[in-house]
Amino acid sequence: MIFFLFENQKLFKKVYRKTNIKDIFNNEKYEPIEIKTSLPKSLSILYELFKVLSTRGVYITSDDTINLTYDITFNIYKHLGDTEIIKPILKIFDEHIENIKMLSEDKFIITFNDNFQRKINSLELYEILSSGTSKGFRLFSFLVYSLKTGTDLVIDEIENHFHKSLVEYIISLYKDKSVNKYGATLIFTTHYCELLDLFSRSDNIYITKYEKKIKLENVYIDYNIRTELLKSKKFYNNAFNTNVNYQSLMDFKKELM
């Protein structure tokens, strides 16, 4: 279970105009919003604005063992009232599987292409499916929920188990207004810096650093990067100061000699 604590929260506002879009990150032009209600640390001050608790974001971890809880994934389709989309999702990751249905919390029926069916439990399903298929099915299920409801999706290490072309496809779905009809946002972490080249803008890219605390640096604000240059190339040239410490590598090699 994951717990969040919100500390030193501040909320600001400003009038948005298309003519001053380049000034959107200028903090001097924001006005602070005074929050009079005393909220618990487990609750964001955004609650003061919306006055209602609702699911506005879901988080996907890179941990494979979480896939054993398939009932969570299938409850998404129960909530949406649509199970037909399960079939094309499974075909993306395993063309030999026709469909999977949840009979009860820990009972499933899997149908293969030759119409052969098996009744299995969660552990057996996890053993039948490859690690990539299990994770892909789970991630795409949350992706469906996100795009169908306008809920923001947070994915830790999006490239884990996935080919670059598939990650590019996921990103393209969120950029396509005919698919992303409700304005869902995709937030992801990655170690695959070539993915940065998929974005024409830089203000939506953050570099994670750890000093005394974890901090985020915005590529647009904190780095003077020319927009026509490949961001991945700048990354490999250490423009963001993210290279592995050379002396640490040499010390490790020395110990091996």
Side-chain angles (χ1 to χ4, degrees):
M1 185 174 290
I2 300 174
F3 295 94
F4 294 96
L5 294 178
F6 298 91
E7 296 181 342
N8 302 319
Q9 300 179 77
K10 295 180 181 180
L11 199 60
F12 298 85
K13 66 179 181 179
K14 73 180 297 185
V15 177
Y16 171 77
R17 295 187 181 90
K18 205 167 185 179
T19 53
N20 65 356
I21 189 170
K22 292 184 178 180
D23 230 13
I24 193 169
F25 285 107
N26 187 344
N27 294 335
E28 295 179 358
K29 296 188 177 182
Y30 280 87
E31 299 177 13
I33 298 178
E34 184 180 354
I35 303 298
K36 297 181 180 180
T37 307
S38 179
L39 299 173
K41 287 187 176 182
S42 59
L43 200 61
S44 168
I45 56 176
L46 291 176
Y47 173 75
E48 185 66 20
L49 295 182
F50 301 120
K51 296 294 185 182
V52 65
L53 291 175
S54 61
T55 302
R56 285 295 305 136
V58 287
Y59 169 75
I60 304 294
T61 177
S62 58
D63 186 1
D64 285 341
T65 58
I66 198 72
N67 288 307
L68 289 170
T69 55
Y70 289 101
D71 58 309
I72 297 175
T73 302
F74 279 92
N75 281 335
I76 290 174
Y77 301 105
K78 183 179 179 180
H79 175 76
L80 295 176
D82 179 16
T83 59
E84 284 302 309
I85 200 169
I86 291 177
K87 296 179 182 179
I89 291 177
L90 291 172
K91 289 294 182 184
I92 294 174
F93 301 99
D94 192 333
E95 60 184 16
H96 301 100
I97 298 176
E98 183 65 27
N99 198 13
I100 301 174
K101 292 182 180 180
M102 185 172 74
L103 303 177
S104 60
E105 184 174 334
D106 193 43
K107 294 294 180 183
F108 303 87
I109 184 167
I110 182 170
T111 305
F112 296 91
N113 279 352
D114 57 1
N115 290 323
F116 175 72
Q117 294 183 334
R118 281 185 60 186
K119 289 184 179 180
I120 51 181
N121 58 32
S122 295
L123 182 58
E124 291 171 321
L125 182 58
Y126 187 69
E127 291 174 347
I128 291 174
L129 301 181
S130 69
S131 176
T133 300
S134 285
K135 184 175 181 182
F137 176 50
R138 180 170 176 268
L139 187 150
F140 268 65
S141 298
F142 277 95
L143 186 147
V144 168
Y145 179 83
S146 171
L147 293 172
K148 292 281 189 181
T149 63
T151 300
D152 301 334
L153 181 64
V154 183
I155 306 176
D156 181 27
E157 297 183 10
I158 193 172
E159 75 281 1
N160 193 15
H161 289 307
F162 295 133
H163 190 274
K164 181 190 173 189
S165 61
L166 190 56
V167 177
E168 291 179 354
Y169 174 72
I170 293 173
I171 294 172
S172 72
L173 291 177
Y174 280 83
K175 296 168 101 176
D176 190 339
K177 292 184 179 180
S178 67
V179 177
N180 190 5
K181 301 176 183 178
Y182 304 103
T185 301
L186 174 65
I187 303 171
F188 65 89
T189 65
T190 182
H191 296 283
Y192 197 76
C193 62
E194 278 79 8
L195 293 179
L196 304 180
D197 298 330
L198 299 176
F199 300 94
S200 57
R201 297 170 56 169
S202 297
D203 57 356
N204 59 349
I205 301 174
Y206 292 83
I207 307 296
T208 306
K209 300 274 185 76
Y210 178 74
E211 293 175 357
K212 292 183 178 179
K213 292 184 177 180
I214 295 175
K215 68 175 184 177
L216 298 178
E217 294 179 347
N218 185 271
V219 171
Y220 177 77
I221 298 174
D222 300 311
Y223 297 93
N224 186 23
I225 303 297
R226 287 161 51 190
T227 55
E228 70 273 15
L229 298 177
L230 287 176
K231 299 176 182 68
S232 59
K233 186 175 182 180
K234 298 301 293 183
F235 185 92
Y236 286 126
N237 289 337
N238 202 31
F240 307 119
N241 300 315
T242 51
N243 277 2
V244 178
N245 184 278
Y246 179 77
Q247 187 58 50
S248 297
L249 295 175
M250 292 301 99
D251 290 343
F252 173 68
K253 182 178 180 180
K254 183 179 178 181
E255 291 298 320
L256 292 173
M257 295 172 66

